[in-house]
Amino acid sequence: MTGRLGSDVASATAGRAAGIVADGVFKVLLGAGYVVGHGWLGERLGVDGWLPVLAGVALLAGGAVELALVRRRAESAYIRLMAGYDAGWLLATLAGLLVAWMGGSAGGEVWVGYQTAAAPVLGALLAGARSVRPAAPVRTAGSAA
């Protein structure tokens, strides 16, 4: 029975790690897309072309930090910070849409601006998060102390 529980825990941990890696890869690809398509994206969102470039660089950096620290930071820190980031992205999206629906012209700035600011903050918070402690070595009766 213990073996089954251990297997379930390992599978959940592997699934969360895969989700963390996927989130980092998504940010890197999205950031690259922003940089490459900055002119088109800027026109569609009604922002200057440099803002998607800046957001793209921020997303690239944030995703790279996520990927670099995936094995060195506690999963709980990743999950909490990623949930906060995504909740903020949702709120920024809703705020940007609300501004646009009300006839304002700053909806694109709100949406892209959030990504520009939040990605480096997420990276900094992950860099400062609790490290995963390496497992203690297993000692057997015949091993040296």
Side-chain angles (χ1 to χ4, degrees), residues 9-73:
V9 170
S11 207
T13 299
R16 283 191 295 270
I20 291 167
V21 169
D23 191 77
V25 168
F26 176 77
K27 281 186 182 75
V28 167
L29 293 175
L30 186 64
Y34 277 26
V35 171
V36 170
H38 69 279
W40 181 86
L41 186 60
E43 283 180 33
R44 300 302 175 282
L45 294 173
V47 300
D48 290 334
W50 61 267
L51 191 53
V53 171
L54 190 60
V57 170
L59 284 164
L60 280 163
V65 169
E66 280 187 47
L67 293 170
L69 297 176
V70 72
R71 297 226 181 261
R72 292 184 266 174
R73 294 296 180 258

Side-chain angles (χ1 to χ4, degrees), residues 53-137:
V53 171
L54 190 60
V57 170
L59 284 164
L60 280 163
V65 169
E66 280 187 47
L67 293 170
L69 297 176
V70 72
R71 297 226 181 261
R72 292 184 266 174
R73 294 296 180 258
E75 284 180 355
S76 60
Y78 264 97
I79 302 301
R80 187 178 65 252
L81 291 170
M82 286 175 9
Y85 177 91
D86 290 346
W89 197 339
L90 175 64
L91 292 174
T93 301
L94 293 174
L97 286 171
L98 182 62
V99 168
W101 284 333
M102 295 179 71
S105 61
E109 282 93 349
V110 169
W111 191 69
V112 177
Y114 173 79
Q115 296 166 66
T116 304
V121 169
L122 174 67
L125 290 172
L126 277 173
R130 177 174 54 93
S131 294
V132 174
R133 290 185 219 158

